């Protein structure tokens, strides 16, 4: 169930997105909150940073992890101006956020010129059907990094 508090933080994400357009960036903004405190914000910096992974949600997650000194953001909520694309949704899962709340949906984004529906569809198909070639070349040492990981007594599981 959404609350007035959710609306407040979501409105901040929408305002960040709108301001980012005025600053020459993409129309996406994100706010990460723990309790009633903003941990970090992010805006789309893809063209500004020449980084296709610099979506608002990812930049906010990166900033929040630095701020909290942890790669896990349990106890936090991600408010984002638009439904996360597959990369951002997966990033939110990897960050272990408690919740993701978004304003506009993927269809609104498509109407605005950002059609991620193709990626949603693509990810449900086999990699051999993707436009970018994705191939396995099985080396004899392919699993060596995982064996080293399992045997490392000081590893930090995630």
């Amino acid at each position: 169930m959404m609350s007035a508090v959710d609306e407040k933080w979501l409105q901040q994400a929408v305002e960040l997105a709108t301001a980012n357009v005025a600053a020459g960036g993409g129309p996406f903004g994100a706010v990460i909150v723990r309790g009633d405190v903003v941990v970090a914000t992010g805006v789309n910096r893809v063209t500004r940073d020449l980084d296709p992974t610099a979506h608002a949600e990812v930049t906010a997650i990166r900033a929040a992890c630095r701020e909290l000194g942890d790669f896990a953001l349990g106890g936090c909520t991600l408010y984002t101006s638009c439904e996360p694309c597959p990369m951002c949704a997966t990033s939110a899962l990897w960050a272990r956020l408690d919740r993701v709340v978004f304003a506009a949906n993927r269809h609104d984004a498509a109407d605005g010129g950002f059609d991620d529906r193709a990626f949603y569809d693509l990810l449900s198909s086999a990699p051999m059907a993707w436009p970018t070639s994705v191939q396995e070349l099985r080396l004899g040492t392919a699993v060596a990094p995982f064996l080293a990981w399992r045997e490392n007594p000081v590893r930090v599981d995630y």
Side-chain angles (χ1 to χ4, degrees):
M1 177 168 278
M2 299 296 168
S3 69
V5 172
D6 289 327
E7 288 184 27
K8 169 187 153 182
W9 297 123
L10 200 52
Q11 183 60 44
Q12 185 173 340
V14 170
E15 290 169 2
L16 282 169
T18 304
N20 197 48
V21 171
F28 303 95
V31 178
I32 295 179
V33 177
R34 183 168 64 180
D36 60 353
V37 175
V38 173
V39 176
T41 63
V43 294
N44 181 284
R45 300 183 57 89
V46 170
T47 57
R48 188 177 306 147
D49 293 355
L50 304 177
D51 179 354
T53 68
H55 291 200
E57 297 91 339
V58 172
T59 62
I61 289 168
R62 290 172 180 163
C65 289
R66 283 191 303 271
E67 179 65 25
L68 296 177
D70 200 342
F71 59 84
L73 299 176
C76 296
T77 298
L78 168 63
Y79 294 94
T80 182
S81 62
C82 188
E83 181 178 4
C85 73
M87 177 185 70
C88 293
T90 305
S91 296
L93 293 171
W94 274 110
R96 293 168 179 78
L97 288 152
D98 285 2
R99 298 171 62 216
V100 176
V101 180
F102 61 88
N105 62 37
R106 66 181 79 172
H107 309 292
D108 299 318
D111 289 343
F114 294 86
D115 196 350
D116 293 338
R117 291 178 293 195
F119 293 111
Y120 284 99
D121 295 342
L122 181 69
L123 292 175
S124 67
S125 67
M128 289 74 65
W130 295 1
T132 299
S133 176
V134 178
Q135 302 172 330
E136 178 183 22
L137 175 57
R138 191 75 179 181
L139 299 175
T141 57
V143 299
F146 299 110
L147 295 173
W149 172 259
R150 283 197 335 228
E151 295 171 6
N152 183 351
V154 295
R155 73 175 182 255
V156 177
D157 290 326
Y158 62 97

